């Protein structure tokens, strides 16, 4: 028995005939080019919808644009990164651009593989979220295709950047806890050794901000940093280390460098038979959706993830139009969201 014939792909010629316009007019509408009246655009759009026409990405690439934007996310399990993605997709709703995701897996080799694949497939622009790659690799990517780096400090003529003021965010947490009367405030950071990443990554900036704020509040002698990882497991292990100390040496509050880390802190505290905030106040960073969830009610820093995504799209579209314009650096101001996980120390 013969297999059924594969349906023929609808072409731009079919759209033109259906709309009773020229193929040039259809092309103008598809490219959002000057010279097509509102009535013409409406007729062509209606024909496209009725026929189910889909532009061929490869052919569009040969003409200069594929209308695809690649977004590299370092860890799909971290609930903050979807906040950035929401801002990206919302900003592209009324455009022809399609977002394609690639997992960076928090590794240099994986990031290189993803970004090179995006370049090879002719994507019009790339948004890299909290990349760990060396500056040289980021600049190679930025030289090859319009690029915006989100969640990493530093700057380069090769790409634009969007980041949160992480030092200020850490100061907000320490100031909040100190204002409640805490002195023994510990911080769980992401372990880092690379010199460039120590200057540019948010985790390093937050740890610096914690130390600066502790000194500013006269709490230098109680500076207490535990290095693990920005994961739930990292928060769990860090808290176990803190709780293994004699009671007099334990902190009364913990500043977790990310909400995902704070989840591990809460897990370890509960496992030890202690309570939050009765025995230990806990604050996070990112203000992810679960932070406001009633049973958790986590004090956290809102670094406006959606606003980061919106700014990244704005800068990227500007650079797609003008590759040679000077690079731009956007720094957003964080806000503290106090909730029930922090209170005055019990002792």
């Amino acid at each position: 028995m013969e297999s059924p014939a594969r349906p023929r792909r609808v072409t731009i010629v079919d759209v033109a005939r259906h709309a009773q316009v020229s193929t040039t007019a259809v092309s103008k509408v598809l490219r959002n080019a000057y010279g097509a009246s509102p009535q013409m655009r409406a007729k062509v759009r209606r024909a496209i919808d009725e026929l189910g026409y889909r532009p061929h990405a490869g052919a569009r690439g040969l003409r200069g644009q594929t209308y695809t934007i690649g977004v590299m996310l370092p860890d799909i399990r971290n609930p903050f990164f979807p906040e950035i993605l929401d801002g990206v997709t919302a900003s592209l709703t009324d455009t022809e651009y399609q977002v394609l995701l690639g997992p960076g897996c928090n590794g240099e080799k994986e990031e290189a593989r993803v970004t090179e694949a995006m370049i090879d497939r002719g994507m019009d622009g790339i948004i890299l979220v909290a990349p760990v790659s060396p500056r040289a690799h980021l600049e190679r990517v930025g030289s090859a295709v319009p690029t915006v780096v989100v969640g990493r400090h530093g700057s380069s003529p090769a790409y634009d950047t969007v980041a949160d003021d992480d030092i200020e965010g850490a100061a907000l947490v320490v100031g909040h806890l100190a204002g409640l009367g805490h002195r023994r405030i510990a911080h769980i950071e992401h372990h880092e050794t690379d010199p460039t990443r120590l200057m540019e990554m948010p985790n390093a900036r937050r740890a610096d901000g914690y130390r600066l704020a502790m000194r500013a509040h006269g709490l230098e002698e109680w500076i207490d940093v535990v290095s693990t990882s920005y994961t739930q497991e990292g928060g769990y292990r860090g808290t176990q280390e803190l709780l293994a100390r004699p009671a007099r040496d334990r902190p009364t509050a913990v500043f977790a460098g990310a909400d995902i880390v704070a989840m591990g802190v809460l897990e370890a505290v509960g496992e030890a038979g202690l309570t939050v905030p009765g025995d230990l106040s806990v604050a996070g960073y990112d203000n992810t959706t679960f932070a406001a969830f009633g049973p958790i009610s986590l004090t956290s820093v809102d670094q406006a993830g959606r606003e980061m995504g919106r700014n990244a799209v704005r800068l990227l579209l500007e650079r797609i139009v003008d590759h040679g314009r000077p690079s731009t650096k956007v720094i957003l101001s964080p806000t503290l969201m106090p909730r029930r996980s922090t209170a005055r120390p019990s002792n």
Side-chain angles (χ1 to χ4, degrees):
M1 181 176 179
E2 293 184 7
S3 59
R6 185 177 180 180
R8 185 177 68 86
R9 186 186 184 98
V10 178
T11 69
I12 192 173
V13 175
D14 298 321
V15 174
R17 287 174 180 164
H18 193 77
Q20 297 183 323
V21 298
S22 67
T23 55
T24 301
V26 176
S27 178
K28 285 183 178 180
V29 173
L30 290 173
R31 292 182 290 110
N32 199 27
Y34 175 79
S37 67
Q39 295 80 5
M40 179 76 73
R41 292 181 187 277
K43 288 178 64 176
V44 172
R45 291 294 179 195
R46 188 163 54 249
I48 287 172
D49 291 340
E50 291 173 356
L51 295 177
Y53 170 72
R54 292 175 56 81
H56 193 285
R60 298 178 89 177
L62 292 174
R63 293 195 295 270
Q65 279 190 275
T66 61
Y67 291 93
T68 55
I69 288 176
V71 178
M72 190 281 294
L73 295 179
D75 183 359
I76 60 174
R77 289 173 293 274
N78 189 319
F80 173 63
F81 297 131
E83 300 285 325
I84 298 174
L85 187 60
D86 283 347
V88 170
T89 55
S91 297
L92 294 171
T93 299
D94 296 325
T95 74
E96 292 193 62
Y97 285 99
Q98 177 64 50
V99 173
L100 298 178
L101 301 180
C105 303
N106 286 312
E108 294 181 12
K109 290 183 179 179
E110 292 82 358
E111 285 186 6
R113 183 181 180 188
V114 168
T115 53
E116 287 164 7
M118 290 177 175
I119 293 170
D120 292 343
R121 284 157 179 77
M123 295 190 182
D124 296 334
I126 296 177
I127 296 173
L128 304 176
V129 179
V132 299
S133 296
R135 174 87 67 83
H137 175 73
L138 299 180
E139 291 184 334
R140 283 196 298 272
V141 174
S143 298
V145 62
T147 300
V148 177
V149 173
V150 178
R152 178 162 167 167
H153 298 272
S155 59
S156 168
Y159 52 80
D160 299 305
T161 56
V162 180
D164 170 62
D165 189 340
D166 293 291
I167 289 179
E168 172 59 22
L172 291 174
V173 175
V174 173
H176 169 68
L177 294 171
L180 290 172
H182 292 278
R183 296 294 178 265
R184 298 194 304 276
I185 304 168
H187 175 55
I188 299 179
E189 69 167 359
H190 180 85
H191 180 66
E192 188 62 78
T193 57
D194 180 84
T196 300
R197 292 203 292 262
L198 281 170
M199 291 189 295
E200 297 186 358
M201 295 302 286
N203 51 281
R205 289 293 183 97
R206 290 170 200 172
D208 288 343
Y210 160 79
R211 293 183 178 92
L212 289 170
M214 290 290 282
R215 294 187 183 100
H217 286 277
L219 304 176
E220 183 172 7
E221 65 179 294
W222 287 289
I223 289 176
D224 187 2
V225 179
V226 176
S227 295
T228 56
S229 64
Y230 267 15
T231 61
Q232 185 169 338
E233 174 64 20
Y236 177 81
R237 288 189 288 108
T239 305
Q240 282 190 316
E241 180 180 329
L242 292 169
L243 295 181
R245 300 172 181 173
R248 66 179 182 278
D249 296 326
R250 292 177 186 174
T252 60
V254 171
F255 165 31
D259 284 358
I260 189 68
V261 180
M263 294 301 291
V265 176
L266 297 176
E267 181 184 4
V269 171
E271 188 178 274
L274 303 175
T275 63
V276 173
D279 297 300
L280 188 72
S281 283
V282 179
Y285 204 111
D286 290 335
N287 196 35
T288 47
T289 52
F290 68 71
F293 182 52
I296 297 175
S297 191
L298 178 68
T299 293
S300 187
V301 173
D302 188 347
Q303 57 171 328
R306 287 179 174 83
E307 191 64 24
M308 283 184 166
R310 285 191 287 268
N311 274 277
V313 168
R314 175 179 61 82
L315 294 176
L316 190 63
L317 295 183
E318 289 175 359
R319 186 163 288 278
I320 288 172
V321 172
D322 182 5
H323 288 221
R325 70 164 176 77
S327 63
T328 302
K329 182 177 182 179
V330 174
I331 300 294
L332 300 177
S333 298
T335 55
L336 182 73
M337 305 297 291
R339 296 191 179 96
R340 294 197 307 272
S341 67
T342 53
R344 296 189 65 82
S346 58
N347 52 11

